[in-house]
Amino acid sequence: MAGPWSDGQCGAVSLTFDDGLASQLFRAVPTLGRHGLRGTFYLNARSARWEEGLAPWADVAGLGHELGNHTLTHPCSGNFDFVPAGRGLEDLTLEDIAQDIDSCEERIRSVAGPGPRSFAYPCYQDFVGRGARRQSYVPLVAERFVAARARGERANDPARADLHWLWSFPCERMDAAQMIGLCETATARGLWCILTLHGIHEGGLAVAAEDLEVLCAHLAAQRTRIWTAPVAEVAGHVLAWRGRQAADGRR
Ligand SMILES: [Zn+2]
């Protein structure tokens, strides 16, 4: 049975960057570009001057990177002290979150076209409501996107993973050796490793520019073994492979 990856590659890696931070534009995008790699950037587009804010991202999309949806207002649990009282996921309905996602989508489409696109759950959380009325909003996401990124324990098995609850490794404060280790461990097992990054020397969830550089150099040098591509692209490839597997099984 042929494996899921093309051209003799052994595994896949997706480099993902959340929240549209400035250092992604002036550090991550050029670093990926130097090594011929493409990533996924999950944006919110929530500012009043969102058209201005999204303008540089249109160029990023033009370079072949994926612009993913990360909701408009980035709603997270009210248990976080940075969430205003009464504005947490516990206080929202499914209609609220659908509207938030669709507003973001409209803005991203205006600079990056119709997709297919992937989604990233803000704060890795997928619910609205509390207690007996708490509900998952994964079904809403599955209706709208080819794939969605959460957080998890391991890399993703292309045969088994729920494409709308993909596991990723949060990489804040990791060095290059740790990130490369995650990619190589996944590749050794034929899996799809998704790394979640935020700022490069920016914010509280940062990685160092030097570590991103070494990671990208490694992935570029290993491109015949490791397929590095945006989340939506790998998800589309996995879906097509699953379709072929199912068709073979019916024969
Ligand atoms: Zn976020």
Side-chain angles (χ1 to χ4, degrees):
M1 193 179 289
W5 314 119
S6 307
D7 305 327
Q9 286 161 322
C10 307
V13 168
S14 293
L15 303 177
T16 69
F17 299 83
D18 290 18
D19 306 334
L21 300 173
S23 60
Q24 295 167 5
L25 282 171
F26 68 83
R27 286 202 161 111
V29 171
T31 302
L32 267 64
R34 268 199 308 282
H35 295 286
L37 302 173
R38 292 174 300 116
T40 299
F41 294 85
Y42 290 111
L43 307 180
N44 304 107
R46 71 181 125 177
S47 79
R49 289 169 25 192
W50 63 269
E51 282 158 310
E52 215 173 287
L54 276 183
W57 292 102
D59 298 336
V60 174
L63 294 170
H65 299 287
E66 178 190 6
L67 302 188
N69 188 312
H70 197 37
T71 75
L72 194 70
T73 64
H74 204 284
C76 294
S77 170
N79 211 1
F80 284 114
D81 59 5
F82 59 78
V83 174
R87 302 268 303 279
L89 284 167
E90 292 83 352
D91 306 297
L92 301 184
T93 64
L94 288 176
E95 290 70 32
D96 293 332
I97 194 79
Q99 198 174 49
D100 205 290
I101 291 168
D102 290 343
S103 303
C104 180
E105 189 60 21
E106 205 175 298
R107 294 179 180 189
I108 292 178
R109 265 171 198 243
S110 72
V111 295
R117 205 178 322 288
S118 65
F119 177 85
Y121 299 93
C123 300
Y124 311 105
Q125 294 170 326
D126 73 315
F127 68 91
V128 293
R130 69 177 72 231
R133 287 192 301 281
R134 178 163 157 147
Q135 290 174 282
S136 169
Y137 73 81
V138 171
L140 282 176
V141 167
E143 284 165 10
R144 290 165 167 76
F145 301 96
V146 64
R149 197 213 65 202
R151 168 167 60 182
E153 306 291 321
R154 294 184 177 193
N156 299 284
D157 184 331
R160 294 166 173 250
D162 180 352
L163 293 180
H164 296 96
W165 191 259
L166 290 166
W167 285 359
S168 77
F169 296 106
C171 292
E172 49 268 22
R173 292 179 286 278
M174 280 191 190
D175 62 23
Q178 289 171 293
M179 293 188 282
I180 290 168
L182 292 171
C183 297
E184 286 292 343
T185 305
T187 300
R189 302 177 62 212
L191 304 178
W192 175 15
C193 177
I194 304 179
L195 301 184
T196 295
L197 297 96
H198 287 79
I200 316 302
H201 290 301
E202 179 187 14
L205 302 172
V207 297
E210 295 78 1
D211 290 310
L212 180 65
E213 170 68 32
V214 173
L215 168 66
C216 289
H218 181 85
L219 292 173
Q222 298 301 319
R223 65 172 73 248
T224 56
R225 295 170 49 238
I226 305 176
W227 182 37
T228 302
V231 172
E233 200 170 314
V234 179
H237 180 88
V238 167
L239 272 174
W241 173 73
R242 286 181 182 179
R244 288 195 300 277
Q245 296 288 106
D248 288 350
R250 284 194 296 274
R251 261 182 220 133

PDB file of all heavy atoms in Angstrom, residues 70-89:
ATOM      1  N   HIS A  70      -8.465  32.845  12.031  1.00  0.00           N
ATOM      2  CA  HIS A  70      -8.232  32.661  13.479  1.00  0.00           C
ATOM      3  C   HIS A  70      -9.327  33.401  14.267  1.00  0.00           C
ATOM      4  O   HIS A  70      -9.095  33.831  15.376  1.00  0.00           O
ATOM      5  CB  HIS A  70      -6.844  33.200  13.809  1.00  0.00           C
ATOM      6  CG  HIS A  70      -6.263  32.751  15.116  1.00  0.00           C
ATOM      7  ND1 HIS A  70      -6.434  31.476  15.636  1.00  0.00           N
ATOM      8  CD2 HIS A  70      -5.492  33.414  16.025  1.00  0.00           C
ATOM      9  CE1 HIS A  70      -5.789  31.391  16.793  1.00  0.00           C
ATOM     10  NE2 HIS A  70      -5.217  32.553  17.060  1.00  0.00           N
ATOM     11  N   THR A  71     -10.497  33.550  13.615  1.00  0.00           N
ATOM     12  CA  THR A  71     -11.647  34.350  14.105  1.00  0.00           C
ATOM     13  C   THR A  71     -11.317  35.839  14.057  1.00  0.00           C
ATOM     14  O   THR A  71     -10.149  36.227  13.995  1.00  0.00           O
ATOM     15  CB  THR A  71     -12.123  34.005  15.536  1.00  0.00           C
ATOM     16  OG1 THR A  71     -11.201  34.549  16.480  1.00  0.00           O
ATOM     17  CG2 THR A  71     -12.317  32.511  15.740  1.00  0.00           C
ATOM     18  N   LEU A  72     -12.346  36.636  14.150  1.00  0.00           N
ATOM     19  CA  LEU A  72     -12.137  38.088  14.113  1.00  0.00           C
ATOM     20  C   LEU A  72     -11.668  38.623  15.469  1.00  0.00           C
ATOM     21  O   LEU A  72     -10.714  39.391  15.544  1.00  0.00           O
ATOM     22  CB  LEU A  72     -13.449  38.781  13.719  1.00  0.00           C
ATOM     23  CG  LEU A  72     -13.322  40.237  13.309  1.00  0.00           C
ATOM     24  CD1 LEU A  72     -12.617  40.354  11.972  1.00  0.00           C
ATOM     25  CD2 LEU A  72     -14.702  40.888  13.223  1.00  0.00           C
ATOM     26  N   THR A  73     -12.326  38.216  16.540  1.00  0.00           N
ATOM     27  CA  THR A  73     -12.059  38.833  17.857  1.00  0.00           C
ATOM     28  C   THR A  73     -11.275  37.932  18.811  1.00  0.00           C
ATOM     29  O   THR A  73     -11.064  38.291  19.964  1.00  0.00           O
ATOM     30  CB  THR A  73     -13.374  39.249  18.545  1.00  0.00           C
ATOM     31  OG1 THR A  73     -14.142  38.068  18.821  1.00  0.00           O
ATOM     32  CG2 THR A  73     -14.186  40.187  17.666  1.00  0.00           C
ATOM     33  N   HIS A  74     -10.848  36.756  18.329  1.00  0.00           N
ATOM     34  CA  HIS A  74     -10.007  35.860  19.129  1.00  0.00           C
ATOM     35  C   HIS A  74     -10.644  35.518  20.488  1.00  0.00           C
ATOM     36  O   HIS A  74     -10.030  35.699  21.539  1.00  0.00           O
ATOM     37  CB  HIS A  74      -8.632  36.511  19.330  1.00  0.00           C
ATOM     38  CG  HIS A  74      -7.534  35.524  19.607  1.00  0.00           C
ATOM     39  ND1 HIS A  74      -7.385  34.914  20.829  1.00  0.00           N
ATOM     40  CD2 HIS A  74      -6.539  35.037  18.829  1.00  0.00           C
ATOM     41  CE1 HIS A  74      -6.324  34.105  20.792  1.00  0.00           C
ATOM     42  NE2 HIS A  74      -5.814  34.157  19.586  1.00  0.00           N
ATOM     43  N   PRO A  75     -11.875  34.989  20.497  1.00  0.00           N
ATOM     44  CA  PRO A  75     -12.510  34.678  21.783  1.00  0.00           C
ATOM     45  C   PRO A  75     -11.885  33.465  22.473  1.00  0.00           C
ATOM     46  O   PRO A  75     -11.606  32.457  21.825  1.00  0.00           O
ATOM     47  CB  PRO A  75     -13.966  34.383  21.400  1.00  0.00           C
ATOM     48  CG  PRO A  75     -13.922  33.988  19.974  1.00  0.00           C
ATOM     49  CD  PRO A  75     -12.765  34.710  19.346  1.00  0.00           C
ATOM     50  N   CYS A  76     -11.632  33.617  23.770  1.00  0.00           N
ATOM     51  CA  CYS A  76     -11.041  32.549  24.589  1.00  0.00           C
ATOM     52  C   CYS A  76     -11.861  32.413  25.865  1.00  0.00           C
ATOM     53  O   CYS A  76     -12.741  33.229  26.137  1.00  0.00           O
ATOM     54  CB  CYS A  76      -9.592  32.885  24.951  1.00  0.00           C
ATOM     55  SG  CYS A  76      -8.491  32.928  23.529  1.00  0.00           S
ATOM     56  N   SER A  77     -11.559  31.416  26.649  1.00  0.00           N
ATOM     57  CA  SER A  77     -12.276  31.202  27.912  1.00  0.00           C
ATOM     58  C   SER A  77     -12.173  32.424  28.818  1.00  0.00           C
ATOM     59  O   SER A  77     -11.108  33.036  28.943  1.00  0.00           O
ATOM     60  CB  SER A  77     -11.677  29.999  28.643  1.00  0.00           C
ATOM     61  OG  SER A  77     -12.201  29.938  29.947  1.00  0.00           O
ATOM     62  N   GLY A  78     -13.279  32.748  29.507  1.00  0.00           N
ATOM     63  CA  GLY A  78     -13.282  33.817  30.496  1.00  0.00           C
ATOM     64  C   GLY A  78     -12.431  33.500  31.712  1.00  0.00           C
ATOM     65  O   GLY A  78     -12.226  34.349  32.576  1.00  0.00           O
ATOM     66  N   ASN A  79     -11.910  32.292  31.754  1.00  0.00           N
ATOM     67  CA  ASN A  79     -11.011  31.921  32.847  1.00  0.00           C
ATOM     68  C   ASN A  79      -9.647  32.598  32.701  1.00  0.00           C
ATOM     69  O   ASN A  79      -8.873  32.675  33.659  1.00  0.00           O
ATOM     70  CB  ASN A  79     -10.857  30.396  32.844  1.00  0.00           C
ATOM     71  CG  ASN A  79     -10.619  29.831  34.232  1.00  0.00           C
ATOM     72  OD1 ASN A  79     -10.576  30.559  35.208  1.00  0.00           O
ATOM     73  ND2 ASN A  79     -10.452  28.531  34.302  1.00  0.00           N
ATOM     74  N   PHE A  80      -9.343  33.098  31.496  1.00  0.00           N
ATOM     75  CA  PHE A  80      -8.115  33.883  31.299  1.00  0.00           C
ATOM     76  C   PHE A  80      -8.343  35.295  31.820  1.00  0.00           C
ATOM     77  O   PHE A  80      -9.370  35.919  31.495  1.00  0.00           O
ATOM     78  CB  PHE A  80      -7.773  33.998  29.802  1.00  0.00           C
ATOM     79  CG  PHE A  80      -7.182  32.758  29.191  1.00  0.00           C
ATOM     80  CD1 PHE A  80      -7.863  32.052  28.221  1.00  0.00           C
ATOM     81  CD2 PHE A  80      -5.918  32.314  29.563  1.00  0.00           C
ATOM     82  CE1 PHE A  80      -7.312  30.924  27.630  1.00  0.00           C
ATOM     83  CE2 PHE A  80      -5.356  31.181  28.970  1.00  0.00           C
ATOM     84  CZ  PHE A  80      -6.060  30.484  28.009  1.00  0.00           C
ATOM     85  N   ASP A  81      -7.356  35.840  32.528  1.00  0.00           N
ATOM     86  CA  ASP A  81      -7.554  37.179  33.096  1.00  0.00           C
ATOM     87  C   ASP A  81      -7.473  38.283  32.035  1.00  0.00           C
ATOM     88  O   ASP A  81      -7.857  39.416  32.291  1.00  0.00           O
ATOM     89  CB  ASP A  81      -6.578  37.444  34.251  1.00  0.00           C
ATOM     90  CG  ASP A  81      -5.131  37.338  33.832  1.00  0.00           C
ATOM     91  OD1 ASP A  81      -4.864  37.158  32.617  1.00  0.00           O
ATOM     92  OD2 ASP A  81      -4.247  37.418  34.709  1.00  0.00           O
ATOM     93  N   PHE A  82      -7.002  37.946  30.821  1.00  0.00           N
ATOM     94  CA  PHE A  82      -6.970  38.978  29.777  1.00  0.00           C
ATOM     95  C   PHE A  82      -8.302  39.091  29.030  1.00  0.00           C
ATOM     96  O   PHE A  82      -8.459  39.956  28.173  1.00  0.00           O
ATOM     97  CB  PHE A  82      -5.812  38.732  28.790  1.00  0.00           C
ATOM     98  CG  PHE A  82      -5.842  37.406  28.070  1.00  0.00           C
ATOM     99  CD1 PHE A  82      -6.688  37.193  26.988  1.00  0.00           C
ATOM    100  CD2 PHE A  82      -5.005  36.365  28.478  1.00  0.00           C
ATOM    101  CE1 PHE A  82      -6.712  35.978  26.322  1.00  0.00           C
ATOM    102  CE2 PHE A  82      -5.025  35.133  27.819  1.00  0.00           C
ATOM    103  CZ  PHE A  82      -5.885  34.939  26.745  1.00  0.00           C
ATOM    104  N   VAL A  83      -9.248  38.205  29.315  1.00  0.00           N
ATOM    105  CA  VAL A  83     -10.556  38.259  28.652  1.00  0.00           C
ATOM    106  C   VAL A  83     -11.489  39.127  29.494  1.00  0.00           C
ATOM    107  O   VAL A  83     -11.660  38.870  30.686  1.00  0.00           O
ATOM    108  CB  VAL A  83     -11.137  36.832  28.486  1.00  0.00           C
ATOM    109  CG1 VAL A  83     -12.555  36.878  27.945  1.00  0.00           C
ATOM    110  CG2 VAL A  83     -10.236  36.008  27.570  1.00  0.00           C
ATOM    111  N   PRO A  84     -12.090  40.178  28.882  1.00  0.00           N
ATOM    112  CA  PRO A  84     -12.994  41.040  29.665  1.00  0.00           C
ATOM    113  C   PRO A  84     -14.161  40.232  30.241  1.00  0.00           C
ATOM    114  O   PRO A  84     -14.637  39.291  29.603  1.00  0.00           O
ATOM    115  CB  PRO A  84     -13.500  42.050  28.617  1.00  0.00           C
ATOM    116  CG  PRO A  84     -12.547  41.971  27.474  1.00  0.00           C
ATOM    117  CD  PRO A  84     -11.963  40.596  27.488  1.00  0.00           C
ATOM    118  N   ALA A  85     -14.613  40.624  31.423  1.00  0.00           N
ATOM    119  CA  ALA A  85     -15.706  39.904  32.081  1.00  0.00           C
ATOM    120  C   ALA A  85     -16.922  39.858  31.159  1.00  0.00           C
ATOM    121  O   ALA A  85     -17.276  40.859  30.520  1.00  0.00           O
ATOM    122  CB  ALA A  85     -16.059  40.596  33.395  1.00  0.00           C
ATOM    123  N   GLY A  86     -17.546  38.711  31.053  1.00  0.00           N
ATOM    124  CA  GLY A  86     -18.755  38.562  30.238  1.00  0.00           C
ATOM    125  C   GLY A  86     -18.479  38.385  28.754  1.00  0.00           C
ATOM    126  O   GLY A  86     -19.398  38.292  27.949  1.00  0.00           O
ATOM    127  N   ARG A  87     -17.190  38.351  28.352  1.00  0.00           N
ATOM    128  CA  ARG A  87     -16.848  38.245  26.922  1.00  0.00           C
ATOM    129  C   ARG A  87     -16.111  36.944  26.613  1.00  0.00           C
ATOM    130  O   ARG A  87     -15.513  36.809  25.544  1.00  0.00           O
ATOM    131  CB  ARG A  87     -15.967  39.431  26.517  1.00  0.00           C
ATOM    132  CG  ARG A  87     -16.614  40.795  26.779  1.00  0.00           C
ATOM    133  CD  ARG A  87     -17.381  41.311  25.596  1.00  0.00           C
ATOM    134  NE  ARG A  87     -16.534  41.410  24.416  1.00  0.00           N
ATOM    135  CZ  ARG A  87     -15.693  42.428  24.187  1.00  0.00           C
ATOM    136  NH1 ARG A  87     -15.589  43.423  25.065  1.00  0.00           N
ATOM    137  NH2 ARG A  87     -14.986  42.462  23.084  1.00  0.00           N
ATOM    138  N   GLY A  88     -16.161  35.992  27.511  1.00  0.00           N
ATOM    139  CA  GLY A  88     -15.463  34.727  27.280  1.00  0.00           C
ATOM    140  C   GLY A  88     -16.282  33.787  26.414  1.00  0.00           C
ATOM    141  O   GLY A  88     -17.462  34.028  26.136  1.00  0.00           O
ATOM    142  N   LEU A  89     -15.654  32.704  25.987  1.00  0.00           N
ATOM    143  CA  LEU A  89     -16.366  31.684  25.202  1.00  0.00           C
ATOM    144  C   LEU A  89     -17.589  31.164  25.955  1.00  0.00           C
ATOM    145  O   LEU A  89     -18.596  30.797  25.353  1.00  0.00           O
ATOM    146  CB  LEU A  89     -15.423  30.514  24.896  1.00  0.00           C
ATOM    147  CG  LEU A  89     -14.387  30.760  23.794  1.00  0.00           C
ATOM    148  CD1 LEU A  89     -13.324  29.653  23.807  1.00  0.00           C
ATOM    149  CD2 LEU A  89     -15.042  30.843  22.422  1.00  0.00           C
TER     150      LEU A  89
END
